[in-house]
Every structure is written in C-alpha cells, then in structure tokens.
Amino acid sequence: MRIYGINVWAIIGAALSIYGLGVLIYGLIVDPALWMASARISQAEMDAVGLSRMPFSPILPLVTAIGMAIVFHWAKVSGLANGIKWGAMIASLSALPALWYGWVYGVGPLSGPMIDSVHLFLGHCLAGAIIGRWN
C-alpha cells in the first residue's frame, strides 16, 4: 500500500524495527541500572515519571520512519545497501548531533549518550535497510 508514492508497510516495518532494537538494547543488553546511572536518573524518578511517558514511545520511531521514507522518496533511494548508507548518513548528520547537544551542554557522563547513540545509529541503519529494500 502506497500513499503519495511512499510504502506504508515499509514505514510500519521500519518503525517496529527501531522500537524492537530499543527493547533489545535497553531491555536485554544494557543493564537498566547502568543506563539510569549514566542518564543520572534515580529509580525513584523512573518509578514516578519514566513509565508515565512510555505510551508516547512508539511515536518517536514512527516519526523517524516517516521522515526517512519521505527523504528516501525524494532522493529516489532504493535497495538494501543504499538504504543502510542513507540511514547511516541521516543518523550521523541529524539524529546524533541533536542527541549530543544534551551532552555538550549538560553535565552527565559520556556513557548515556553513547548507549543512546548506538541505538539511534543502528536503528536508522535498520530502518534505512527496510525502507530502501521496500521502495
């Protein structure tokens, strides 16, 4: 199914892959206590605020996938390898610099943005592979 020439199933698949990668990284690979310490979040803060924001979490990968699909459509990006390259480029030139602003102007340790950077970079590459392949 396409809307304005953009494959909706590719967007859904890409968004689910970004979200699934986040579940894998933050739920299984990285100890939640390590991530909370590096983000300077206490367990009490997480209990009070963190989970209340979880219903919004699917929106972020969906918006990322929609944006990438639009850019891929405009640039006529197709194919698995090109999708990965473009995903890496978008992550490196947009998502990661935006994330790193928080570290540059904040006071937290380096480990928090590093974990988040891995998630963003790999997520963009994975989404790029899916969108590029399905274009």
Side-chain angles (χ1 to χ4, degrees):
M1 176 171 62
R2 292 186 178 272
I3 297 176
Y4 297 108
I6 296 173
N7 187 330
V8 174
W9 294 113
I11 290 172
I12 293 168
L16 289 173
S17 70
I18 295 169
Y19 196 82
L21 181 64
V23 169
L24 181 68
I25 290 173
Y26 297 105
L28 299 173
I29 296 173
V30 175
D31 180 9
L34 171 66
W35 180 82
M36 285 191 300
S38 64
R40 299 224 171 149
I41 299 171
S42 70
Q43 186 63 53
E45 290 169 321
M46 183 58 79
D47 293 341
V49 177
L51 295 178
S52 70
R53 296 178 185 171
M54 287 303 287
F56 299 105
S57 63
I59 295 169
L60 304 173
L62 184 59
V63 170
T64 298
I66 290 169
M68 289 180 68
I70 291 169
V71 169
F72 280 31
H73 180 70
W74 288 342
K76 299 186 184 347
V77 176
S78 65
L80 184 74
N82 280 334
I84 293 169
K85 285 189 275 188
W86 275 76
M89 183 178 66
I90 291 168
S92 298
L93 299 175
S94 180
L96 295 178
L99 171 71
W100 281 90
Y101 263 106
W103 180 76
V104 169
Y105 294 108
V107 295
L110 185 62
S111 54
M114 290 302 292
I115 296 167
D116 296 340
S117 292
V118 168
H119 175 229
L120 283 176
F121 185 80
L122 293 179
H124 277 73
C125 289
L126 188 57
I130 292 168
I131 296 168
R133 177 68 181 97
W134 287 4
N135 264 349

